Amino acid sequence: MIDKTATLHRMVMPDHVCPYGLKARHLLRAKGYAVDDRWLTTRAETDAFKAEHDVGTTPQVFIGGRRIGGYDDLRRFFGLRVRQPGGTSYRPVMALFAMTALMALAASHAAHGTPFTTRAAEWFVAFSMCVLALLKLQDVDRFATMFLNYDLLARRWVPYGRIYPFAEGLAGVLMVAGALNWLSIPIALFIGTVGAVSVFKAVYVDRRELKCACVGGSSNVPLGFVSLTENLMMIAMAMWMLIAH
């Protein structure tokens, strides 16, 4: 039989319990290992441990007398995916649209007794606009700086980069309420058209590789399909409301 025992050295101090140590212990137990959980309870003890084993971080996992390493190394040992710093990920965008779709279906069910209505489709776009604006508004200056890399209007008039998230949020809120269509429709149509043209030129004409500012200034989503979809959704929503209302 294979001896499934692991030794885990992790920081457990009065003012700090290492979260990666807890995650490593959980992963080991989930894989069926008995864990010899050894605490490093002082900074001096931690520094001495790191010097002894010539490592720069804790936690450290040992299996069968062999040092596996920290939490990421443990995940690699078990063949699990390890997130790369600065790596491209569409997961935040997928989660955003999935949640706004569920919100729209829930709102439709509450208001009309069924989730599958035309209003649900309208709310999906409007909720998405609101949440996307919220992400940009977390750090307007950082968003505006990234936006200047590709938006044609912002490059000609820099303040537009700071105005954009407020305009998108306002249009989204008004479209959720179905109020002041005379204001929300032209705003969405204008910013959506300028955005779509800008993204299309930067990505498909100039072939530039840029980060998308659509989910805020700290995103790792490549400029292209996602940002173009955001803008086309706003254009489609504005045109639909113009015809329907």
Side-chain angles (χ1 to χ4, degrees), residues 146-153 155 193-213 222-225 227-228 231:
M146 184 179 287
F147 199 51
L148 285 169
N149 283 320
Y150 58 88
D151 189 83
L152 297 175
L153 179 55
R155 285 184 155 193
T193 301
V194 173
V197 171
S198 299
V199 172
F200 187 84
K201 180 178 186 302
V203 177
Y204 301 105
V205 176
D206 298 338
R207 302 290 182 179
R208 300 174 64 201
E209 294 184 2
L210 300 168
K211 295 293 184 182
C212 177
L223 181 68
F225 174 75
S227 187
L228 188 59
N231 289 292

Side-chain angles (χ1 to χ4, degrees), residues 32-43:
Y33 281 78
V35 181
D36 180 8
D37 192 8
R38 300 185 182 182
W39 294 3
L40 303 169
T41 58
T42 66
R43 177 59 61 183

Side-chain angles (χ1 to χ4, degrees), residues 33-85:
Y33 281 78
V35 181
D36 180 8
D37 192 8
R38 300 185 182 182
W39 294 3
L40 303 169
T41 58
T42 66
R43 177 59 61 183
E45 188 178 0
T46 302
D47 290 342
F49 171 83
K50 290 193 290 187
E52 178 186 354
H53 294 279
D54 193 25
V55 296
T57 61
T58 59
Q60 290 292 321
V61 177
F62 293 79
I63 297 177
R66 168 193 168 196
R67 187 177 70 84
I68 303 302
Y71 177 67
D72 284 349
D73 297 313
L74 183 62
R75 289 186 62 86
R76 293 188 187 97
F77 176 78
F78 289 129
L80 301 176
R81 185 178 66 86
V82 176
R83 187 174 183 177
Q84 299 300 319

Side-chain angles (χ1 to χ4, degrees), residues 154-233:
R155 285 184 155 193
R156 289 180 173 271
W157 188 52
V158 172
Y160 177 66
R162 299 184 65 86
I163 294 172
Y164 183 96
F166 293 95
E168 182 179 34
L170 175 62
V173 168
L174 292 177
M175 287 177 170
V176 169
L180 302 181
N181 293 331
W182 59 269
L183 180 60
S184 64
I185 291 173
I187 289 176
L189 192 58
F190 178 80
I191 65 176
T193 301
V194 173
V197 171
S198 299
V199 172
F200 187 84
K201 180 178 186 302
V203 177
Y204 301 105
V205 176
D206 298 338
R207 302 290 182 179
R208 300 174 64 201
E209 294 184 2
L210 300 168
K211 295 293 184 182
C212 177
C214 55
V215 290
S218 59
S219 73
N220 288 315
V221 179
L223 181 68
F225 174 75
V226 174
S227 187
L228 188 59
T229 299
E230 175 190 6
N231 289 292
L232 292 177
M233 283 172 57

Side-chain angles (χ1 to χ4, degrees), residues 133-145 162 165 216-218:
L134 173 64
L135 293 173
K136 297 176 179 73
L137 289 169
Q138 291 181 102
D139 191 337
V140 177
D141 187 62
R142 191 169 183 177
F143 160 76
T145 301
R162 299 184 65 86
S218 59

